[in-house]
Each structure stands twice: as structure tokens, then as C-alpha cells.
Amino acid sequence: QSALTQPASVSGSPGQSIAISCTGASSDVGGYDYVSWYQQRPGKAPKLILYDVNIRASGISSRFSGSKSGNTASLTISGLQADDEGIYYCASYTRTKGLDVFGGGTRLTVL
Amino acid sequence: EVQLVESGGGLVQPGGSLRLSCGASGFTFSSYWMNWVRQSPGKGLEWVAKIKQDGSEIFYVDSVKGRFTISRDNAKKSLYLRMNSLRVEDTGVYYCVRALQFLDRYLDLWGRGTLVSVSS
């Protein structure tokens, strides 16, 4: 069982916007702005998309944005494209462990 | 080309050992924290271990403490993971991963992974 909770799946049509939530606790997501998001396409290694809640990694489209409210962080993808399909993982610093923890992942399907 | 290439995975019986290696190229290896992250079949990601640039700081996930050892050789631009007393639940793809320079909790360069299967 992952330390951070994500919905198992989300879907949207091309051009639409979707949001993926990542819920933790005050000891991780809620207490620190050290949340990141990774995209994993089928058969590939994960790729860093956002860090420090809302900073885009190098080369990442402005269609990807992040936010946080309380113990829940969110990844929003606007102008959905077929190429956005994959599994998205959040991660967060936690003061209870020596290493950051990941969420269970959310599968994004573009209809 | 900037890349990480893992090797050393394979099939091993419970209680056995393996040593994973990761070769780095295209960047100044000694300037970055390095990490091992694993992914169990059909499951999510788990950060296994991380090591500072000079090896002076090391962290492990609780489930591998006392069994796994991360190390590095900056002269050889290589990262290692020695895995002893392997368990079935250690099965998965093990990724060698570089952290962002100056922001060592974010993982910006991943290898393709090497598969470790623990089974009798």
C-alpha cells in the first residue's frame, strides 16, 4: 500500500483538461512543498514532469501544471493529447522516512 | 550521449544475492546524488536507496536495510547495489537514477532498468 493515494485511473478527450490528485498527510504532502510528478509511458522509464509542487522540469510543456491544497497535491494537464497517455506518479518528501515516497500511480487514458 | 545503463539483474532463489551495476556517460557523474528505484511487476515505484556525491551520506528504504548496500566509484562513473538475503518481494525492475543537481530529491535521468526475479 503506497504512502500517497492517487486515483487508479482518469480519462479525457483530446483538447480537454484533466486533474490527478495525490493525497498524503501533514507529515508529507501537507507539510512541505516537495511534491513532484512523473510520467511513465508503456515500456519506458519514468520521466520527471514537475517538482517543488509546480516547477516544470526541463523541456516540459506549459500544458502541465501543479498545485497543492492542504494534504492534497494535484497535477493538471490542459489541451489533452494522445501522447499524454501513460501512468502518472506523484512523490513527496516525508519527515517520517529517509527517502521520499511515491503514490500508487494513475493511469491516464485519452479517449 | 547522456545515459545510464544498468546490468546484473537475473533470476535468483530466495536468500540469494545479486550485484547490480550502473554505468554513467555524458555527464559529470561525481557531481550528482545517485539512486536506485524499483518497480514491482504491475505495481508502482519504490525508492530503494540513494547516495551522495562522495558517498558520505546514504539512505535506504526500511524494507532493505541490513540487506542491500549502495555504493559508487566516481573514477569508473559507476553505481552499484549489492543485494543479499533476497526475498520474493524484492522482485522487480531496478532503475539507476540520477537526481537533479542541487535538488537531490528529484529524479531527472533514468536508466532503462534491469529485471531482478526472486523465485524458487
Side-chain angles (χ1 to χ4, degrees):
Chain A
Q1 188 172 358
S2 303
L4 306 179
T5 301
Q6 299 181 234
S9 64
V10 298
S11 62
S13 300
Q16 288 186 331
S17 294
I18 63 94
I20 299 173
S21 61
C22 171
T23 302
S26 58
S27 58
D28 42 64
V29 174
Y32 309 90
D33 287 338
Y34 296 143
V35 176
S36 54
W37 290 90
Y38 297 84
Q39 175 196 61
Q40 186 174 32
R41 293 194 174 104
K44 300 293 187 181
K47 175 183 178 181
L48 178 65
I49 300 175
L50 299 175
Y51 61 93
D52 284 353
V53 177
N54 58 12
I55 308 298
R56 283 187 295 278
S58 177
I60 299 301
S61 168
S62 57
R63 297 186 300 108
F64 293 85
S65 61
S67 62
K68 192 186 82 167
S69 178
N71 294 339
T72 298
S74 297
L75 166 68
T76 299
I77 307 174
S78 59
L80 211 55
Q81 300 177 357
D83 194 43
D84 296 331
E85 281 200 337
I87 300 177
Y88 289 80
Y89 295 93
C90 64
S92 174
Y93 167 79
T94 170
R95 68 168 180 263
T96 63
K97 299 181 186 297
L99 297 171
D100 289 16
V101 291
F102 288 96
T106 299
R107 181 177 298 277
L108 169 62
T109 301
V110 180
L111 303 171
Chain B
E1 181 183 1
V2 177
Q3 64 177 356
L4 298 167
V5 179
E6 303 94 336
S7 60
L11 175 63
V12 61
Q13 293 187 336
S17 298
L18 276 178
R19 188 196 193 211
L20 305 184
S21 298
C22 169
S25 59
F27 65 97
T28 306
F29 180 76
S30 60
S31 296
Y32 294 84
W33 279 79
M34 293 299 298
N35 309 265
W36 289 99
V37 175
R38 68 185 177 187
Q39 186 166 32
S40 301
K43 295 188 178 179
L45 301 168
E46 182 177 47
W47 206 320
V48 175
K50 64 189 294 183
I51 184 169
K52 195 176 180 179
Q53 290 92 328
D54 61 0
S56 62
E57 293 184 45
I58 288 174
F59 299 90
Y60 298 99
V61 67
D62 288 346
S63 59
V64 309
K65 285 179 181 176
R67 301 189 298 122
F68 289 13
T69 302
I70 187 173
S71 62
R72 64 191 296 163
D73 185 332
N74 287 338
K76 294 183 177 180
K77 297 186 178 182
S78 294
L79 179 72
Y80 307 101
L81 186 67
R82 177 67 181 180
M83 304 185 294
N84 295 330
S85 303
L86 281 162
R87 305 168 180 168
V88 171
E89 55 265 34
D90 294 319
T91 293
V93 175
Y94 284 70
Y95 293 101
C96 170
V97 194
R98 183 187 78 177
L100 277 176
Q101 202 169 18
F102 310 124
L103 290 172
D104 58 89
R105 63 175 21 89
Y106 302 124
L107 308 173
D108 78 322
L109 179 66
W110 296 64
R112 301 183 72 170
T114 186
L115 178 62
V116 172
S117 296
V118 185
S119 174
S120 55

